Amino acid sequence: MNNNGMNEPLGIVNHILKKSFVDGPGNRAVIFLQGCNFHCLYCHNPYTINHCTACGLCVETCPQHALTLGKDKIFWNEDICVECDECIRVCPESASPRTRTYTPAELWQEVARIGPFITGISVSGGEPSLQVPFLARFFQLVKENSDLTTLIETNGFAGQQAYTDMLPWLDMAMVDLKCSDPDKHLELTGQPLDTVLESIRFFAAQGKLQQVQQVIAPAYTDQAADMQRTAGLLAGIDPSIHLRLLRFRPHGASGPAAQWQSPTDERMDALVETARSNGLTSVERSL
Amino acid sequence: MDKQNLPEPFMDFENLQEGLTAETVAPFKQHISDLLHARDLIFEQKRDALAAAAVGSMPYPPISAEARELIESGALCLLAEGATPYHPRYVAPDYAKILREGSPFLELQPAQNLFDATTSLLTAYKYFPAGGLPVFIGRLDELLEPYIDSVSPETARQVLKSFWLLVDRLNPSGFVHADLGPAASKTGTLLLDVDRELGTITNVTLRYDPQHTPQEFALKAVSNALAVTKPYFLNHPAMAADWGKDYVIASCYNALPLKGGIYTLVRLNLKKAAEMAGNDPERFLDEILPQISKRWTEVIASRARYIIEDVRWFEDNFWIEEGLLDKSKFSAYAGVFGLAEGVNHFFQNKAGYGHDPAANRLAERITTRIHEVLEDNPVIYCEGTGGKACYHAQVGITSDLETTPATRIPSGEEPELYEHILTEAPTHKWINGGISTILEFDQTAAQNPAAVLDIIQGAFKAGIRNLSIGSANSEFVRVTGYLIRRADLEAHKAEKALRHSSAALGSGVMENHPNHLHRITRKV
């Protein structure tokens, strides 16, 4: 796999989506990395949080026999897998064994084929800031070999110094601001808020903050007071920061969040209005 | 020859050799009576159908027995043009000349302002000398831009809105086609606005050149396409490389020279043709296609001859006398359809076209081979395309039961988007007389038209000549190449009379033959 003889950093990739209209400007390829340092209550893809420990439990359970146990790794036969997710259900880590390990060059080769159809590449998660050496090299290859733009969708928790190595090759960052109340942020994500704000300030100062996203979820972000605080914080950094509000949807959410209600159109529209009246000039919401 | 042996769209009484005979008078009278009494046709539609019946009562101009057999078997299809064509199928008049110089025959003065210009165009459409409908209504932005500042911006908008409404109300058909681009203009922008606002049926093509069409104009066109399935996106650099800049798009997506025309469209059913080769694709390429092409071009020539030598269409014709059409720019279409079934005939019980690389390669070889055999068989009176028939991919008609339009992958069987594009793109290479690939997007596209434009540009780089863009939310349904309104389709099923003749054509396609229709409910 790593046949260039150099000690290339490896990336662990959960999934590559070749066409996305909702992950940044234009049509984009989206690379979903495995591994995240947040444990959001409503996580919609919890199988990307932890890493496979090669315990082998799933190998016996797989009805398609698409998994085999190697020395310290599970091998996945994509061709016969039917994506029934039985492996994830039995996993003690709730981690997907269906990941691929790439060198930066291998990943670029995979994406380059669809280069004519896309504006750029977005890296999402999992959490991109956990695989910075790999991404820095991958983005460098993208920039050296194409006109494609590069974007990360990050939770911002790693703080500014974590992004430094990839910065020369990174065009844009979307940062999730899960919740603007420090206590509720900790409760919702399992991690403190302060470095997230630091990252938002950092990307804004670099001119690379594509947008801030917030999932509008009951009890955390759906009240006018929540949005007043969020908008106030962001407007204090830069009133022109683009804020996109994403409607929480219970479908695919894990744990108790599967029982939560989706905010109504009226609620979403009211929050957009609140954000605007609290100093942000560019606010929109998802469908 | 028994009448029942003739494939659709022949009428019951048609007889290629003899015309109306003593035996076919009864079904002829019945057909006329049915038309007279039809409850779901308005006067104009009855009149047109009666005229078509009259032409259908004539014998076919002399052709070889082999050619007649191919027609009678349905391998070659005349597309209901009738045995004796008395006019070209498509023409592309030089409307700019009428606006600039006026027309003695139409008693029109040179246009002085936007009112004059739109009035002159509507007048000219009324006298369109082919096919009963003005299937080409001009490169409208070029035509009207010189007059757009003759009135205030608000008046310009009102005039264009009235004009666009009249184009539809006087010529209600999805085969009526306007061209825009590649440059942006005030007129082009206004026309996109009023087209979206009015939601009329008139077809539109944007001649898109990524180097010269401004991004903002292109994005506006994408948004329109997602809402009302038009304009088409035409790969202008690729088309201009073949045609020069003076070409137009008419009817569904048909390319022809400006001031030129197309005498006839004779189409080859590639499914039936492939079946003539047994199970040997090499025999199909090496023997069958060269044999067929001789008869195919013979039929095309017989029809062009009839129009020119027998009916003497170019004589006593004001369009010619006033220099609005030019005989040296005329040609005829050799159309193909059912490539998918033609290829899959050789891949029985296998994945087939769109899914098997070997099948995709055969599709490319077939379309290339047809180009070669058409080059090998010059056709008289086709000066407009170098003395050879013009290669066209035909979109299908209601009576096609077992074939997919043109070179498309059957609807509902398309692979993932990029594979879909990359599979069909090689089949566009030689077919410069009109071809299109249909792409349909889900509702996220409307919020990100730039993403759709990325895919259009990628498709052009891959060699796609023409893209039809739609979304599941559109109020129009694109049937093969033309448009029908969703509401009209429902009304037609309820047997209500409609202004739009294309709705009647589309209805049968919708109900019976999903191969023709890009199913609107499916998401890409």
Side-chain angles (χ1 to χ4, degrees), chain A residues 18-29 113-120 244 284-287, chain B residues 416-419 421-422 441-445 447-448 450-452 454-459 461-462 524:
Chain A
K18 291 177 180 169
K19 172 172 85 67
S20 170
F21 290 5
V22 295
D23 290 278
N27 182 31
R28 310 186 73 81
R113 295 188 302 124
I114 59 165
F117 295 102
I118 57 179
T119 280
R244 182 170 166 83
E284 60 161 350
R285 71 168 176 89
S286 65
L287 291 171
Chain B
E416 165 278 310
L417 183 75
Y418 305 140
E419 278 308 311
I421 291 167
L422 294 171
F441 295 95
D442 66 26
Q443 59 183 358
T444 61
Q447 293 205 332
N448 191 354
V452 176
D454 283 343
I455 290 166
I456 292 170
Q457 290 176 357
K461 284 178 198 154
V524 170

Side-chain angles (χ1 to χ4, degrees), chain B residues 171-235:
Chain B
N171 313 283
S173 166
F175 297 110
V176 174
H177 207 123
D179 296 4
L180 300 176
S185 61
K186 289 179 191 173
T187 308
T189 303
L190 281 170
L191 281 171
L192 287 179
D193 283 341
V194 299
D195 187 41
R196 180 147 181 189
E197 181 186 339
L198 292 174
T200 54
I201 199 86
T202 313
N203 221 334
V204 184
T205 284
L206 173 65
R207 304 194 304 165
Y208 177 50
D209 180 346
Q211 299 300 316
H212 293 105
T213 308
Q215 175 90 349
E216 192 186 352
F217 189 58
L219 289 176
K220 192 180 189 66
V222 170
S223 295
N224 270 33
L226 292 169
V228 294
T229 74
K230 49 187 173 156
Y232 276 94
F233 279 77
L234 185 74
N235 187 340

Side-chain angles (χ1 to χ4, degrees), chain B residues 292-454:
Chain B
I292 286 180
S293 66
K294 294 208 172 356
R295 303 306 160 203
W296 191 10
T297 49
E298 178 197 338
V299 172
I300 293 168
S302 73
R303 304 177 71 72
R305 273 213 172 88
Y306 193 83
I307 292 167
I308 295 164
E309 298 172 5
D310 206 301
V311 176
R312 297 156 81 102
W313 186 84
F314 284 97
E315 300 168 34
D316 305 316
N317 183 334
F318 82 90
W319 293 93
I320 310 301
E321 284 162 10
E322 296 186 11
L324 305 171
L325 291 171
D326 177 349
K327 189 175 171 215
S328 72
K329 295 183 186 296
F330 275 61
S331 185
Y333 284 147
V336 294
F337 70 111
L339 177 66
E341 289 73 22
V343 169
N344 291 347
H345 170 73
F346 301 107
F347 285 81
Q348 304 286 337
N349 306 318
K350 292 184 188 162
Y353 182 46
H355 300 276
D356 179 339
N360 297 347
R361 272 197 300 280
L362 180 61
E364 188 177 352
R365 287 180 71 200
I366 290 172
T367 52
T368 302
R369 184 71 182 128
I370 292 170
H371 162 71
E372 291 167 358
V373 298
L374 290 173
E375 287 294 302
D376 289 343
N377 289 277
V379 181
I380 191 169
Y381 298 130
C382 286
E383 293 96 331
T385 52
K388 315 287 169 59
C390 183
Y391 193 3
H392 175 83
Q394 206 274 332
V395 294
I397 53 174
T398 311
S399 57
D400 297 339
L401 289 166
E402 298 169 332
T403 47
T404 300
T407 66
R408 291 182 193 146
I409 299 165
S411 176
E413 293 177 18
E414 298 97 334
E416 165 278 310
L417 183 75
Y418 305 140
E419 278 308 311
H420 178 188
I421 291 167
L422 294 171
T423 301
E424 290 191 19
T427 71
H428 284 228
K429 181 173 181 183
W430 299 108
I431 306 183
N432 58 17
I435 184 165
S436 93
T437 284
I438 298 181
L439 300 180
E440 198 168 275
F441 295 95
D442 66 26
Q443 59 183 358
T444 61
Q447 293 205 332
N448 191 354
V452 176
L453 200 58
D454 283 343

